[in-house]
Amino acid sequence: MPVAPRLELRHLQMIRAIARRGRLTDAAEDLGLTPSALSHRIREAERRLGVSLFTRQHKRLRMTPAAEYLAEAAERVLAELLRVEADVERMNRGVAHVVRLAIEAYSAYHWLPEFLSYLQEAAPGIELQVVALAGRDTATALTNRDVDLVIRSGREEPSGFAFRPLFEDELLFIMPPAHRHSAKGFIEADDIVGERFITTTKVPRADQEFALFFRPNESYPRWTATVEMPEAIVELVAAGRGSSILAAWAVRAAIDQGRILGAKLGPEGLQVPWRVMLRAEDRERGPVAETAEALSSWCRDRGGLAPPEGG
């Protein structure tokens, strides 16, 4: 006979509320309880587990290591329960599967409506849900099932994951229209020395501009800001607050609008591959594999994610 958990859903909600708010009265208000009722629930949870969860420190509750561990688990469990409930509701509307997709570092989704139309034809019954990944580790997000597919650049292949090719795209040096290099068709590494540069991260990746452009030429810009959202970087560059290097497909619209200028990195340009990453266990069959294959085929036929020229 299976062993039932000693804690109930209401206990997990209680622990999460206290972890978020700190004060008993604030947590009780969030839960719709009186402070005395919440105190009773704390004692009940401690009795069921046989451990102390909280100690009082002035007017706040201090979590024991056991409570901190439970709070982390409660966040995951309750978030997963909300996802499951939402999935069940979708199934009731005729959606058989939900696949969660994100783009590493970027949040440009001008291409999404067109792909959704393609996916509905190629894999009916699958609903695509977009997840924000800014600042989060993609491998961890996939492992924790916060997301099922991640569009990412580069050739690195962490173990435990599978990849499908999408397209090749070049990195561009982006600058305001009045920039001193605005007339250049391409940028050499020496041109960027001392340049006020905005980057998404100062952690160098083997397949990005730091390793492919700066380091080989031993020429570096003057790092002035770290902004995790490329769309925000475009706004800063357009306002003359610096320059950057970003994927061409994600900044094409701003270039076509004349808000920023884009130049190749070197006379031949610098191309990087973009692929979709998924858990290795999902690579052969199922809705995740089906969606990854549909995205790969669509990008191959369309030529990538960039908006049409002039669009």
Side-chain angles (χ1 to χ4, degrees):
M1 186 173 180
V3 178
R6 283 175 281 177
L7 292 185
E8 299 174 5
L9 182 62
R10 59 197 177 97
H11 296 121
L12 296 180
Q13 292 170 326
M14 170 197 74
I15 292 168
R16 182 181 65 174
I18 296 172
R20 288 179 173 181
R21 300 303 300 272
R23 290 168 54 92
L24 182 76
T25 53
D26 293 338
E29 183 179 352
D30 284 356
L31 295 169
L33 299 172
T34 63
S36 61
L38 183 55
S39 296
H40 174 76
R41 189 169 294 181
I42 291 172
R43 290 193 296 271
E44 180 187 25
E46 291 176 329
R47 177 179 54 78
R48 291 189 179 202
L49 291 171
V51 299
S52 295
L53 296 176
F54 302 97
T55 59
R56 284 192 176 274
Q57 190 174 46
H58 303 298
K59 294 184 178 181
R60 300 181 68 86
L61 288 176
R62 181 168 182 168
M63 303 176 72
T64 65
E68 290 176 352
Y69 179 76
L70 281 170
E72 292 178 5
E75 288 284 358
R76 294 194 302 270
V77 170
L78 293 171
E80 180 62 23
L81 181 58
L82 287 174
R83 285 197 291 266
V84 169
E85 289 177 348
D87 290 349
V88 170
E89 290 175 0
R90 291 185 182 94
M91 290 175 186
N92 192 45
R93 302 197 312 265
V95 176
H97 304 284
V98 175
V99 175
R100 298 174 181 86
L101 175 140
I103 306 177
E104 182 183 57
Y106 289 84
S107 56
Y109 286 96
H110 51 265
W111 52 272
L112 185 61
E114 186 181 338
F115 174 65
L116 287 178
S117 297
Y118 177 87
L119 183 64
Q120 287 170 357
E121 294 291 329
I126 293 178
E127 181 174 299
L128 197 65
Q129 186 178 93
V130 174
V131 177
L133 267 190
R136 296 169 61 193
D137 177 70
T138 56
T140 301
L142 280 165
T143 301
N144 290 345
R145 298 186 175 274
D146 297 325
V147 65
D148 302 304
L149 297 172
V150 175
I151 297 173
R152 59 174 287 169
S153 63
R155 294 180 173 82
E156 294 178 327
E157 294 193 0
S159 61
F161 301 97
F163 296 82
R164 297 282 188 277
L166 296 180
F167 58 94
E168 292 270 333
D169 185 70
E170 66 178 330
L171 293 173
L172 292 180
F173 177 77
I174 62 170
M175 53 190 152
H179 193 274
R180 60 194 174 96
H181 293 319
S182 60
K184 285 181 172 283
F186 62 88
I187 297 295
E188 301 279 16
D190 288 345
D191 295 329
I192 303 182
V193 173
E195 182 76 21
R196 293 171 58 203
F197 195 82
I198 307 168
T199 180
T200 56
T201 175
K202 291 182 181 176
V203 179
R205 271 182 53 178
D207 47 16
Q208 292 297 324
E209 66 272 11
F210 187 93
L212 298 177
F213 190 64
F214 297 145
R215 185 185 291 155
N217 297 283
E218 296 185 350
S219 299
Y220 302 94
R222 177 163 57 92
W223 317 101
T224 57
T226 301
V227 179
E228 291 183 347
M229 299 296 293
E231 293 71 24
I233 292 178
V234 169
E235 297 303 322
L236 291 171
V237 170
R241 302 297 296 271
S243 58
S244 189
I245 293 176
L246 294 174
W249 70 266
V251 299
R252 168 81 65 77
I255 292 173
D256 289 345
Q257 293 162 7
R259 300 177 58 237
I260 60 172
L261 299 178
K264 293 177 179 292
L265 298 180
E268 304 300 322
L270 191 57
Q271 298 282 329
V272 294
W274 283 79
R275 299 181 296 173
V276 62
M277 177 180 176
L278 61 157
R279 292 177 292 272
E281 64 201 68
D282 294 327
R283 71 179 141 202
E284 296 298 335
R285 61 181 64 86
V288 174
E290 206 171 342
T291 305
E293 192 57 45
L295 183 60
S296 179
S297 299
W298 181 75
C299 283
R300 183 172 59 248
D301 295 343
R302 187 180 183 274
L305 298 181
E309 291 284 351

